[in-house]
Structure formats: structure tokens, C-alpha cells
Amino acid sequence: MQALYFDDFEPGQTFHSKGVTLSESQILDFALLYDPQPFHLDKEAAAEGPFNGLIASGFQTLALAFRIFYQANVINACSMGSPGLDNLRWIRPVRPGDTIKVTGTVREKRPSRSKPDRGTVIMDYVTTNQMGETVMTFTAIHIFARKATQSSS
């Protein structure tokens, strides 16, 4: 994909990532370091818990969703960071062996009034599993660079 900048995004545009499959060991490793709740870390406890088995941390799902969307080369050239996320929801658990994919849809864009080299793009993200079920949704507020020809005029 050709490098995209703020000026290339339009409301309604949709972008798709490839998938990534989570292994049991990845789930356990992440949980040990960052989210040691029993349903992420202990197979026996997880089997007796509210999800009837081991599940990935929602934070792991979010981090992986960002990684695979970044690997789709949609925001790589233009990203100048983000002031945050809105409406993060974990809809369904992600289990060992699940493959997740991300779809990002541009909701709106606004050029900066004070910094002509950038603008804000708001994107709605939906993460699905291999069965097409939604497992996570969120909205990201991106700050994207404008094309050099746009910002220097």
C-alpha cells in the first residue's frame, strides 16, 4: 500500500488487517507479566471460572489489534501519536487458537487550526475472531501528518 497521510483519509473509508493467531503460551506469558488474573494465567482455575476456560487479557487483545493494524501499513507514514481511545469494549473472550483481525473505519477528520502540518482522524475499530464474531471495539483519535506539499503551502 502507498504511504497514506491525513489528506488521504475520508469518512467512510475502511481498512483491514491480516489475522494473528494467539497461542496458549502467548496468553500465559502476557498474563504473567501484565494481567495475572486466574482466567488469564491458570488453566485449572480458568476452567472453573466465569469464562469456562483460559482467555486472553483484553489488554493483550488491544495491543495485538494495534500491532496487526499497524502492520497493514495504513497509519505508518502519518502517525504522530494519539491523545487516546474512546468506547473500548471487550465483547467476547479471545481463547487460545483464536485468530483475530481488525477493521478500521474513518468516522471523521479535521485539519488542525494551529498546526498546519497535521490533522485529527477519528477511526472506529472492530476486532473479530475467525468466526467473524466481534470480540472488541474501540474508537481511536489519531493525529496524522499532512503531506509535505499540503503543510508547506
Side-chain angles (χ1 to χ4, degrees):
M1 176 184 286
Q2 182 180 350
L4 299 176
Y5 292 88
F6 169 82
D7 311 276
D8 299 314
F9 291 88
E10 293 299 333
Q13 273 180 308
T14 300
F15 302 93
H16 304 278
S17 77
K18 292 184 178 178
V20 65
T21 302
L22 279 83
S23 69
E24 182 178 291
S25 64
Q26 289 171 315
I27 291 171
L28 294 171
D29 288 346
F30 187 93
L32 183 64
L33 290 170
Y34 304 109
D35 193 351
Q37 296 182 76
F39 42 81
H40 301 316
L41 188 60
D42 182 325
K43 291 190 322 186
E44 286 91 33
E48 301 298 320
F51 302 104
N52 298 315
L54 197 67
I55 64 168
S57 167
F59 297 108
Q60 182 177 23
T61 304
L62 180 61
L64 283 171
F66 177 78
R67 186 190 92 198
I68 61 177
F69 195 77
Y70 190 82
Q71 288 173 325
N73 199 27
V74 175
I75 64 172
N76 303 37
C78 63
S79 180
M80 298 176 79
S82 170
L85 304 175
D86 290 331
N87 304 313
L88 173 61
R89 298 290 180 267
W90 293 299
I91 311 296
R92 283 188 177 80
V94 174
R95 300 183 183 277
D98 280 356
T99 299
I100 62 169
K101 295 180 181 182
V102 180
T103 300
T105 303
V106 178
R107 181 193 300 175
E108 67 179 87
K109 72 181 225 183
R110 296 183 306 270
S112 173
R113 291 185 199 145
S114 60
K115 297 179 181 176
D117 67 331
R118 66 193 70 183
T120 299
V121 173
I122 298 175
M123 293 182 70
D124 295 316
Y125 290 91
V126 177
T127 303
T128 56
N129 63 20
Q130 70 277 4
M131 294 174 283
E133 299 169 325
T134 299
V135 298
M136 181 181 66
T137 60
F138 63 94
T139 300
I141 305 155
H142 296 284
I143 300 172
F144 288 160
R146 297 191 79 172
K147 291 180 181 175
T149 56
Q150 295 283 334
S151 62
S152 61
S153 55

